[in-house]
Amino acid sequence: MMLYPAMNKLTSYVPNRYMLVNVVARRARQIAETAEEAGEHLAEKPVTLAINEVADGKLDASQMDLTIEEENA
């Protein structure tokens, strides 16, 4: 069974699998909360959207570090 996107593509943006899980989970929560506040229906699940953002190079671990700091401020 082939997984898309491939793990080696994802880990090229986020250095290890454990960090990848955290990055994707945080972004998925952001996507879900934003859609709920706007009353939007998502065509795909938030986790799928977040993984695709990582695969497209739109999201990496350094961007999530900034988001975490903003949430805690």
Side-chain angles (χ1 to χ4, degrees):
M1 180 170 141
M2 295 281 295
L3 296 177
Y4 177 78
M7 182 60 73
N8 62 354
K9 183 173 184 176
L10 296 173
T11 55
S12 69
Y13 295 107
V14 181
N16 66 57
R17 293 176 184 209
Y18 302 107
M19 188 178 293
L20 177 64
V21 169
N22 283 324
V23 168
V24 169
R26 285 182 187 276
R27 179 63 182 136
R29 277 189 228 109
Q30 290 174 348
I31 292 169
E33 289 173 2
T34 302
E36 186 175 334
E37 289 170 1
E40 295 178 17
H41 173 72
L42 297 174
E44 295 185 23
K45 293 184 178 183
V47 172
T48 301
L49 296 171
I51 288 173
N52 288 333
E53 286 183 7
V54 172
D56 293 340
K58 296 177 184 174
L59 182 65
D60 62 19
S62 65
Q63 291 169 325
M64 292 310 293
D65 289 341
L66 295 174
T67 305
I68 294 166
E69 289 173 8
E70 290 172 3
E71 289 174 358
N72 292 332

